Amino acid sequence: MNNIELERGSLLINLKCPECGAEYDAAVSNTVCLNDACKSTLFANYDLTQYLDKSILKDRPANMWRYHELLPVIHIKNIVTLGEGLTPIIPLENLKQFAEGNEVFWKDESGNPTGSFKARGISAAVSKAKEIGIQAIATPTAGNAGGALAAYAARAGIKAIVYMPKLTPQIFKDECRLYGAELVEIDGNISDCGKLVNEHAIANNWFQISTLKEPYRLEGKKTLGFEIAEQFNWQLPDVILYPTGGGTGLIGIWKAFDELEQLGWIGSKRPRMVAVQSESCNGIVTAFNGGHHNSEFADGGFTIANGLRVPKPYADKIILKVLRDSKGAALTISDNEMSAAIKEIARNEGMLIAPEGAALWQAYKKLKALQWIQPGEQVLMINTGSGYKYLENIDI
């Protein structure tokens, strides 16, 4: 890959189950832990005893592969990139009356290839798939992940098969087809898509990259955490709000902070993590506020935030543990509230954000009113995608 130093490759050792500790060879195809009592998402495990200085980042490309030592691709030639990552941190400007003593920022993922943060995880997963010789990749999607897979698979020369709910806005379907993916529309939600992907992938020998049912999308998403640390000059914000469907980014950010601390790049301070869900799919919120370690299946039907219609995240236990360990919070936002937030932010801040991101603005205001967010605290909201892709859902 051009402009990336070749003197030091990935520090990847193997894959490890965070629950039972089982280890797996990262040079072959893996999905989840094979322990029947566990079946956990697998985490990429790196040799963090190696000395790395932050100065290695100087003059590196402005994309997520600037952290290639802490990403799972061993040989640089296998990296499949379209320039994803290193998205901007944008301070609140014209809605400062809602800050009242806080510094409030957006990390805006809308400028990523295919318009969302999904580019990060898909870039990592497709790159690793290329490295281990995968020929066909299948995924269920609520929209953005399907478009990202279609684009990166086209770049890699790998076949992509995308399963998508029929109620998904047409632009997401057109996007997949334009990139040459095989699109399968399903009369149901993303969980229904996931069941069919699993069945058909086994029959056709496709590699599945369903959310957190393989190890590498998480690795791409964790680069959000690396960037947050770097962009805040290695001093983390006090609160991070994250729209939680599958929860890969929330888990990935937390994993990134742990790895950076082990390298000595940051201290032990951690943000309080906030999971924000749609009222339509509120299983994580219900479980967290009820003190449970697992979430229940919850699907109230259509929501304008397609990415939040995930009835039961596969890694619910890990999501809930991150929220507890960070002393965080979880709350739901209605479609009407999201729609109002989209307009308020567009008309005052000049940002047309995704409904998932808009949910965070309403959550921030609620937490501020409850004094859960304290004066003087830095707050960061992760806008996961572009609102342009959701115009079909939005009442203008």
Side-chain angles (χ1 to χ4, degrees):
M1 179 180 173
N2 294 336
N3 300 323
I4 286 188
E5 297 91 330
L6 301 177
E7 79 281 359
R8 183 188 292 110
S10 172
L11 298 178
L12 181 69
I13 300 171
N14 57 18
L15 302 174
K16 191 170 184 178
C17 175
E19 291 199 31
C20 72
E23 297 182 352
Y24 297 86
D25 184 356
V28 298
S29 174
N30 287 277
T31 53
V32 298
C33 182
L34 298 177
N35 184 339
D36 286 335
C38 182
K39 295 291 185 184
S40 171
T41 298
L42 296 176
F43 282 7
N45 183 32
Y46 299 87
D47 181 5
L48 299 175
T49 64
Q50 297 254 357
Y51 176 73
L52 290 180
D53 190 89
K54 293 191 287 284
S55 63
I56 64 172
L57 300 176
K58 188 175 183 294
D59 299 325
R60 284 195 175 179
N63 63 50
M64 77 176 201
W65 293 99
R66 64 196 279 105
Y67 312 106
H68 66 266
E69 290 92 346
L70 303 176
L71 288 168
V73 178
I74 304 299
H75 300 291
I76 299 293
K77 66 181 181 181
N78 292 316
I79 292 175
V80 182
T81 180
L82 292 166
E84 56 291 326
L86 214 63
T87 54
I89 301 287
I90 301 174
L92 202 66
E93 183 63 32
N94 297 319
L95 291 169
K96 286 182 179 177
Q97 68 269 29
F98 294 103
E100 297 178 359
N102 297 111
E103 289 184 287
V104 182
F105 303 89
W106 291 97
K107 185 160 178 61
D108 186 15
E109 291 288 285
S110 65
N112 275 306
T114 70
S116 86
F117 75 143
K118 298 292 185 179
R120 295 177 184 269
I122 298 298
S123 174
V126 169
S127 296
K128 193 63 181 180
K130 177 182 176 183
E131 184 159 76
I132 61 180
I134 298 296
Q135 299 298 312
I137 302 175
T139 192
T141 181
N144 275 313
L149 175 61
Y152 283 86
R155 184 79 170 179
I158 294 173
K159 179 179 174 62
I161 308 96
V162 176
Y163 287 66
M164 186 181 292
K166 286 182 179 177
L167 288 177
T168 307
Q170 187 64 36
I171 188 171
F172 293 104
K173 301 172 188 177
D174 294 342
E175 179 181 41
C176 289
R177 292 189 175 108
L178 280 167
Y179 287 123
E182 179 182 335
L183 180 65
V184 183
E185 295 186 51
I186 301 301
D187 189 12
N189 58 42
I190 195 171
S191 294
D192 300 313
C193 293
K195 291 172 186 174
L196 282 174
V197 167
N198 185 59
E199 178 185 329
H200 295 170
I202 292 170
N204 293 285
N205 197 31
W206 301 333
F207 182 62
Q208 295 186 63
I209 57 167
S210 303
T211 302
L212 292 167
K213 291 186 181 179
E214 58 79 46
Y216 300 116
R217 285 176 67 178
L218 175 66
E219 293 305 291
K221 292 282 188 69
K222 82 177 180 187
T223 59
L224 277 163
F226 294 158
E227 291 175 22
I228 290 166
E230 184 177 359
Q231 290 170 312
F232 278 87
N233 197 28
W234 311 106
Q235 299 293 321
L236 302 181
D238 298 291
V239 177
I240 294 178
L241 289 87
Y242 184 84
T244 305
T248 315
L250 185 144
I251 296 169
I253 289 169
W254 199 249
K255 184 175 188 285
F257 294 159
D258 180 59
E259 291 173 355
L260 291 177
E261 183 181 0
Q262 290 181 65
L263 287 173
W265 291 15
I266 64 171
S268 59
K269 175 195 169 184
R270 293 290 183 275
R272 304 198 305 283
M273 304 296 290
V274 180
V276 181
Q277 293 197 292
S278 166
E279 286 184 349
S280 174
C281 287
N282 62 353
I284 292 295
V285 174
T286 300
F288 179 76
N289 292 332
H292 305 301
H293 293 273
N294 296 87
S295 67
E296 297 294 328
F297 186 95
D299 184 17
F302 176 80
T303 170
I304 64 170
N306 298 91
L308 297 185
R309 193 180 174 189
V310 181
K312 182 173 170 60
Y314 186 79
D316 54 348
K317 287 167 62 175
I318 303 176
I319 294 168
L320 290 164
K321 185 176 188 302
V322 169
L323 296 179
R324 289 194 303 272
D325 289 351
S326 73
K327 298 180 174 58
L331 63 164
T332 60
I333 301 297
S334 71
D335 275 14
N336 285 340
E337 289 174 307
M338 289 183 226
S339 182
I342 290 168
K343 295 169 188 174
E344 184 173 37
I345 294 161
R347 292 166 184 173
N348 291 279
E349 297 292 327
M351 298 170 62
L352 185 54
I353 66 174
E356 293 87 348
L360 303 184
W361 177 238
Q362 300 290 23
Y364 161 74
K365 290 192 286 186
K366 290 183 180 185
L367 292 171
K368 176 76 172 172
L370 291 169
Q371 299 185 327
W372 190 88
I373 292 173
Q374 296 291 310
E377 290 189 317
Q378 283 189 327
V379 180
L380 178 65
M381 297 175 286
I382 313 293
N383 172 45
T384 50
S386 171
Y388 288 100
K389 298 178 78 172
Y390 292 81
L391 291 178
E392 188 178 320
N393 286 355
I394 300 169
D395 179 15
I396 299 172

